[in-house]
Amino acid sequence: MTERSMQEPTLLLLTALADAPRHGYALIQEIAAISDGRVKMRTGTLYGALDRLLTQGLIEVAAEEVVDGRARRTYALTDTGRGALATEAERLRTVAAEAERRLSVAVAVPRVRGAFA
């Protein structure tokens, strides 16, 4: 049995952490940049997803500090998370390649003449 495909918030979070550890606000900004502004992750959604990914072992807390009297956690991708992201990227490449292949096939759809034409 194959694993389920990754939900978009998970894919975006792991992608945002793939090149560098980031804290929450930086993740929100990075996700907006990755999605070309299409996805604006809300704080509640972000921290719920981060908690889930921590539990799943896909990310870890890389650092904790206090900034302006507030605790700030910086998150990083684990080796398991890196592997999961690589697997999902390959799955997406495979699906995209098949979509491109099928789109490139010139199939003439016959037009039906008659009452609806």
Side-chain angles (χ1 to χ4, degrees):
M1 177 184 261
T2 60
E3 287 186 31
R4 215 171 56 126
S5 63
M6 211 175 266
Q7 295 295 311
E8 188 176 35
T10 300
L11 175 62
L12 292 170
L13 275 167
L14 296 182
T15 300
L17 291 170
D19 61 344
R22 289 185 167 83
H23 58 79
Y25 182 70
L27 284 167
I28 289 171
Q29 291 178 312
E30 197 66 19
I31 287 166
I34 291 167
S35 69
D36 199 25
R38 185 179 53 80
V39 176
K40 294 174 178 70
M41 191 169 284
R42 296 178 187 260
T43 305
T45 303
L46 171 70
Y47 286 103
L50 289 171
D51 285 343
R52 181 177 47 78
L53 296 173
L54 281 165
T55 300
Q56 292 173 342
L58 299 176
I59 65 171
E60 63 189 359
V61 176
E64 291 185 86
E65 60 185 332
V66 177
V67 178
D68 296 328
R70 299 179 70 183
R72 176 186 284 177
R73 281 184 165 181
T74 300
Y75 300 90
L77 207 55
T78 62
D79 289 341
T80 301
R82 190 167 297 285
L85 181 58
T87 298
E88 183 66 3
E90 179 58 30
R91 185 191 72 77
L92 291 170
R93 269 192 298 278
T94 301
V95 171
E98 182 61 14
E100 291 292 332
R101 186 191 70 76
R102 289 175 183 233
L103 286 168
S104 69
V105 175
V107 176
V109 178
R111 296 194 129 200
V112 178
R113 293 183 189 244
F116 300 110

